[in-house]
Amino acid sequence: MSSPAAGSRPQRILITGASGCVGQYITEQLYRHSDAELLLLLRDPAKLTVVSADDPRVTLLVGDLRELTPHAGAIATATRIIHTATAWGDPLRAQQVNVEAVNQLLAFTSPVWLEQVIYFSTASILDRQLQLLPEAAEFGTEYIQTKALCLQQLEAHPLAAKIVAVFPTLVFGGQVGPGDRHPTSYLTAGIREATRWLWLAKWLRTEASFHFIHAADIALVCAHLATQPHHPNPEPNQGALRRLVLGQAPISINATVTQLCRWRRSWQPPFGIDLQGWLIEALIKLLRIEVNAWDRFSIRQRHFVHEPVSPPERFGLVSYAPTLQAVFETAGLPHR
């Protein structure tokens, strides 16, 4: 079987987790802005809202990621794979989905047709220089540990040169209320609840910072990568497998509270209580808050920032939601 000639047929892109928040944004972006044929792996077709299952460019592969054998033939026809599906909560399921199923998925691909794999991980397992955090394997939850293990395995995989590992930071998407056909991310769903505690948060101060990104901007980057020729990893100080942390410029917790106060038109005092480590520990004990080893590491770490970080602008694109104000607006967060 000879290699496919460039431009001989449309890209055939397999998207796992296609009914999830990020998966649906990616599916819609590729459907609207490419001629790619889309293979959508998902468990519940009823949750797919951004494209029609009857469209001739769409093929549904219905099933669990842990049972890929029925779809082996379709997987082998994919020229690109965008693997967003993941699992957490149950240690056994996390191991099966986040590690074993990834290996099985790659085993079913065709070395003749496959050009690229975009693999989704999480920025939480990386340090500032995009290297694997030792604490991820030592203290991480089942989700963190399995993502760390999978990354290590993929670095040594025969297909590593075809893999782009993307590490989303905090993901917003959808709306806080009804009316958006995209699923709502867990973070966006929590904004409304967070505003109920704004009366307390505005009296507190803490030195911590993070990146965020909207699912629409993740889709912009992934669609760009999936429709451009795949080249050897251009990133410095990395191996064959390319690592991209997807996020906007870092923002502090204090700035986040300030911006949320402005959006909600709520007065913020010019001073506040500094949440130092000893005070946080005292509050945990006083309020009897359950924390695990990863929670404690995160409290000590405080600054989850990375360099370089890759917003859409790094690829010559324009962000859909480059600021928190844009996130609040697109989420439909009320001002009051």
Side-chain angles (χ1 to χ4, degrees):
M1 190 174 188
S2 60
S3 299
S8 60
R9 66 168 184 166
Q11 289 284 0
R12 195 164 169 83
I13 302 177
L14 168 64
I15 304 171
T16 72
S19 62
C21 177
V22 171
Q24 296 218 47
Y25 274 97
I26 293 173
T27 296
E28 182 180 46
Q29 181 70 22
L30 285 168
Y31 181 80
R32 290 187 176 184
H33 301 286
S34 79
D35 63 353
E37 298 173 1
L38 303 179
L39 305 175
L40 306 182
L41 180 62
L42 71 178
R43 288 186 297 171
D44 185 357
K47 293 182 178 180
L48 183 66
T49 56
V50 297
V51 296
S52 171
D54 299 324
D55 191 284
R57 285 174 55 199
V58 175
T59 301
L60 298 189
L61 307 180
V62 181
D64 194 292
L65 198 66
R66 293 169 292 179
E67 300 174 356
L68 290 173
T69 301
H71 304 302
I75 294 169
T77 69
T79 58
R80 308 277 178 129
I81 294 176
I82 303 177
H83 180 56
T84 76
T86 192
W88 60 86
D90 176 69
L92 177 60
R93 183 167 179 265
Q95 173 69 22
Q96 292 172 337
V97 171
N98 298 344
V99 180
E100 296 169 15
V102 176
N103 290 322
Q104 185 62 78
L105 177 67
L106 296 179
F108 283 145
T109 63
S110 165
V112 174
W113 292 111
L114 185 69
E115 300 171 11
Q116 179 190 68
V117 177
I118 299 175
Y119 163 74
F120 271 68
S121 187
T122 170
S124 299
I125 69 172
L126 299 181
D127 66 14
R128 183 183 290 265
Q129 287 76 38
L130 277 57
Q131 300 303 304
L132 185 63
L133 276 169
E135 292 85 355
E138 185 177 359
F139 302 128
T141 63
E142 76 289 329
Y143 172 71
I144 295 293
Q145 288 184 339
T146 53
K147 285 296 186 181
L149 175 59
C150 189
L151 178 63
Q152 291 176 308
Q153 292 183 357
L154 291 179
E155 290 280 5
H157 197 279
L159 292 174
K162 293 186 177 182
I163 299 174
V164 180
V166 295
F167 302 83
T169 48
L170 298 180
V171 178
F172 292 96
Q175 293 192 334
V176 296
D180 191 337
R181 60 180 178 169
H182 300 96
T184 301
S185 74
Y186 291 104
L187 194 58
T188 294
I191 295 178
R192 194 70 177 265
E193 178 64 25
T195 60
R196 298 177 184 176
W197 294 94
L198 191 57
W199 64 271
L200 175 61
K202 64 185 181 181
W203 290 97
L204 305 175
R205 303 290 185 270
T206 184
E207 284 298 320
S209 51
F210 62 94
H211 301 278
F212 68 90
I213 191 164
H214 196 281
D217 290 323
I218 294 175
L220 274 176
V221 173
C222 288
H224 171 79
L225 294 171
T227 54
Q228 297 295 313
H230 183 75
H231 298 293
N233 184 12
E235 308 293 334
N237 304 315
Q238 295 187 7
L241 185 151
R242 187 180 187 184
R243 300 183 184 186
L244 295 174
V245 171
L246 304 184
Q248 301 293 343
I251 185 170
S252 70
I253 295 292
N254 293 336
T256 299
V257 173
T258 296
Q259 292 190 30
L260 193 53
C261 284
R262 289 174 181 170
W263 185 265
R264 297 288 285 182
R265 297 167 183 165
S266 174
W267 174 79
Q268 185 180 26
F271 56 88
I273 300 173
D274 185 12
L275 283 178
Q276 297 185 21
W278 67 268
L279 181 55
I280 294 175
E281 289 294 335
L283 289 173
I284 289 172
K285 292 180 180 179
L286 178 64
L287 301 176
R288 297 182 179 179
I289 300 173
E290 292 187 11
V291 294
N292 55 37
W294 182 253
D295 294 331
R296 291 194 178 279
F297 166 72
S298 299
I299 292 171
R300 295 193 305 270
Q301 179 84 349
R302 292 203 174 206
H303 298 282
F304 281 88
V305 296
H306 309 276
E307 179 60 39
V309 68
S310 297
E313 282 71 14
R314 192 172 183 220
F315 306 93
L317 307 169
V318 178
S319 289
Y320 173 76
T323 65
L324 281 181
Q325 290 93 333
V327 167
F328 299 155
E329 182 176 356
T330 58
L333 181 67
H335 286 284
R336 291 286 187 181

